[in-house]
Amino acid sequence: MRKKTNYINQMTVEFPSNSANEGFARAVIACFCAQMDPTLDELGDIKTAVSEAVTNCIVHAYPNEIGSIVMKAGIIEGNVLEIVIRDKGCGILDIQKAREPMYTTGGPERSGMGITIMESFMTEFRIRSIYGKGTTVYMKRKLTKRGSHT
């Protein structure tokens, strides 16, 4: 959330890069965006993108230590959800290479599809990384505007 945005609502949560917190992050984002009345497909896409971003922090940013992950979310006019996930881990040496489908530094059990999945499930996607300092993932998803439930 680089520039000043007028959010309808927003939240920030910080948690350690323990693998159990991937599920926590999914639950937090699901609870936060429930106020936007997403479809089940939209909710599934959002949770999956968050899961991929947080898993990348756990596996790649802090491979030999527990570090901090910060997740911010905000609702923007027009029924848009903005999500930023940041770590202060090792960073990505070559972002272009990391964006290639099937490329991974996480070993043979990793698919190398995390960035591709995040990008395909979001309306907007950006990633910024400084090697040795950390990575920030910016995602936006425009949700279907449905009738209010009063």
Side-chain angles (χ1 to χ4, degrees), residues 13-78:
V13 63
E14 183 173 1
F15 49 91
S17 62
N18 294 323
S19 60
N21 285 332
E22 177 269 332
F24 169 73
R26 288 173 61 93
V28 168
I29 201 65
C31 290
F32 180 76
C33 75
Q35 64 194 293
M36 300 176 75
D37 195 22
T39 66
L40 289 177
D41 285 342
E42 290 169 334
L43 185 59
D45 289 353
I46 291 163
K47 288 168 55 178
T48 299
V50 164
S51 177
E52 292 294 336
V54 170
T55 297
N56 281 350
C57 295
I58 293 166
V59 172
H60 301 290
Y62 303 111
N64 301 311
E65 64 182 329
I66 299 297
S68 177
I69 301 170
V70 175
M71 179 171 68
K72 296 181 178 186
I75 299 170
I76 303 168
E77 193 69 42

Side-chain angles (χ1 to χ4, degrees), residues 114-135:
I115 293 175
T116 302
I117 290 168
M118 287 183 274
E119 193 165 17
S120 68
F121 285 178
M122 293 289 129
T123 309
E124 293 180 34
F125 175 84
R126 290 187 331 276
I127 186 168
R128 182 173 179 270
S129 189
I130 299 171
Y131 190 68
K133 300 228 181 230
T135 302

Side-chain angles (χ1 to χ4, degrees), residues 2-13:
R2 303 179 342 242
K3 58 187 174 190
K4 185 164 174 56
T5 304
N6 291 323
Y7 295 107
I8 295 167
N9 197 4
Q10 62 185 357
M11 68 94 190
T12 301
V13 63

Side-chain angles (χ1 to χ4, degrees), residues 102-148:
M102 310 303 285
Y103 176 80
T104 184
T105 59
E109 70 281 359
R110 298 286 166 197
S111 72
M113 293 298 291
I115 293 175
T116 302
I117 290 168
M118 287 183 274
E119 193 165 17
S120 68
F121 285 178
M122 293 289 129
T123 309
E124 293 180 34
F125 175 84
R126 290 187 331 276
I127 186 168
R128 182 173 179 270
S129 189
I130 299 171
Y131 190 68
K133 300 228 181 230
T135 302
T136 304
V137 171
Y138 303 90
M139 301 182 281
K140 286 186 181 178
R141 176 67 184 254
K142 180 159 179 47
L143 302 180
T144 304
K145 187 73 171 165
R146 303 193 305 167
S148 66

